[in-house]
Amino acid sequence: GTFENYAGSVYYNFHPVESVVEQHLDFTRPLHIGLDFNISKMVAVVAVKYKTGLHIIDEIVLRNTNTDEMCQAIKEKYPDKMIFVYPDSAGSQRKTSAGTNTDHTILQQYGLRVMVNKANPLVKDRINAGNRLLCDANGNRNLFIEPDCKEVITAISKWEYQPNTSIPIKDAEKGYDGVNDSWSYMVSFLYPIKPQYAERTVKYFGAYW
């Protein structure tokens, strides 16, 4: 395949050679999976975590599906692994399957360990966390992707902002936003963007602001 540079790329720190690396992986480690509850195309992004970052080793892609079917696919492919899942926080209320269970409780019923914040970080914070892991200010790359993960590579490399804005394009047909949501939930939970300074106040007319 070929790679192209796109003006306005969301993940501008992605590099088609340096970020896409085939490595000898330690499969004794637990698996970490980012997951967005997208019915038309649900992509589970599977990674191994190391001290400094993540290596995305696999992707499970299901179309016209639901959370039950994705859980079945995950357990069928990785039956004996300890698995941490990082889903959309809205899954604590939302249901993609029939019945009374939420998406989060369905994950738990399959023995998957759900790791989630009370609310999703802002989109810009998830994007910044992803770009920092792809390449930080010192030039260190701590997010790598196996070459076989075509959906992830395509989504990261081709996702763009709407013209003259900082709003990423949502496109149900291409689904780049859904794939990137999946892995960015995982990255932003494990490597969140944190403030670099404490809030300051000023005194004005006897009150602090």
Side-chain angles (χ1 to χ4, degrees):
T2 61
F3 294 89
E4 302 172 9
N5 291 323
Y6 286 80
S9 292
V10 174
Y11 288 110
Y12 52 82
N13 278 344
F14 171 81
H15 191 280
V17 175
E18 296 183 13
S19 300
V20 181
V21 179
E22 187 173 5
Q23 290 188 353
H24 177 72
L25 300 168
D26 182 358
F27 286 102
T28 65
R29 292 174 177 266
L31 296 180
H32 299 261
I33 297 180
L35 183 63
D36 182 50
F37 302 113
N38 190 334
I39 296 174
S40 59
K41 183 174 75 171
M42 193 181 296
V43 180
V45 180
V46 184
V48 174
K49 182 179 182 295
Y50 295 93
K51 184 175 181 179
T52 57
L54 294 171
H55 193 109
I56 295 174
I57 64 169
D58 194 12
E59 57 188 20
I60 301 174
V61 183
L62 299 180
R63 298 179 186 276
N64 301 316
T65 189
N66 57 49
T67 307
D68 266 310
E69 292 179 351
M70 177 55 79
C71 289
Q72 292 170 26
I74 291 171
K75 295 299 289 185
E76 180 178 340
K77 194 164 190 179
Y78 300 105
D80 301 317
K81 296 293 293 183
M82 179 183 291
I83 298 174
F84 297 91
V85 179
Y86 304 82
D88 181 351
S89 66
S92 60
Q93 295 87 34
R94 192 167 57 189
K95 304 169 186 176
T96 60
S97 304
T100 59
N101 289 319
T102 68
D103 289 320
H104 286 182
T105 58
I106 292 170
L107 294 172
Q108 292 167 340
Q109 287 170 355
Y110 280 87
L112 306 175
R113 292 161 172 81
V114 177
M115 312 297 291
V116 67
N117 295 307
K118 291 182 179 179
N120 291 327
L122 296 174
V123 173
K124 67 177 181 179
D125 288 341
R126 287 194 280 121
I127 291 171
N128 287 338
N131 271 317
R132 183 182 62 184
L133 210 62
L134 283 164
C135 188
D136 66 20
N138 296 317
N140 299 312
R141 294 188 176 274
N142 294 305
L143 178 63
F144 300 97
I145 310 164
E146 285 290 311
D148 290 340
C149 298
K150 304 300 184 185
E151 291 277 352
V152 175
I153 293 169
T154 299
I156 290 178
S157 63
K158 293 190 176 182
W159 202 28
E160 299 177 83
Y161 289 110
Q162 296 182 29
N164 303 314
T165 76
S166 58
I167 302 172
I169 294 173
K170 286 188 173 293
D171 188 324
E173 182 178 349
K174 293 179 179 177
Y176 299 157
D177 52 319
V179 178
N180 286 315
D181 283 344
S182 292
W183 69 268
S184 71
Y185 291 141
M186 174 169 53
V187 167
S188 61
F189 187 96
L190 293 170
Y191 309 96
I193 295 292
K194 297 180 180 179
Q196 299 300 311
Y197 55 88
E199 180 183 3
R200 293 178 176 176
T201 59
V202 293
K203 189 174 182 179
Y204 186 68
F205 281 102
Y208 286 94
W209 303 82

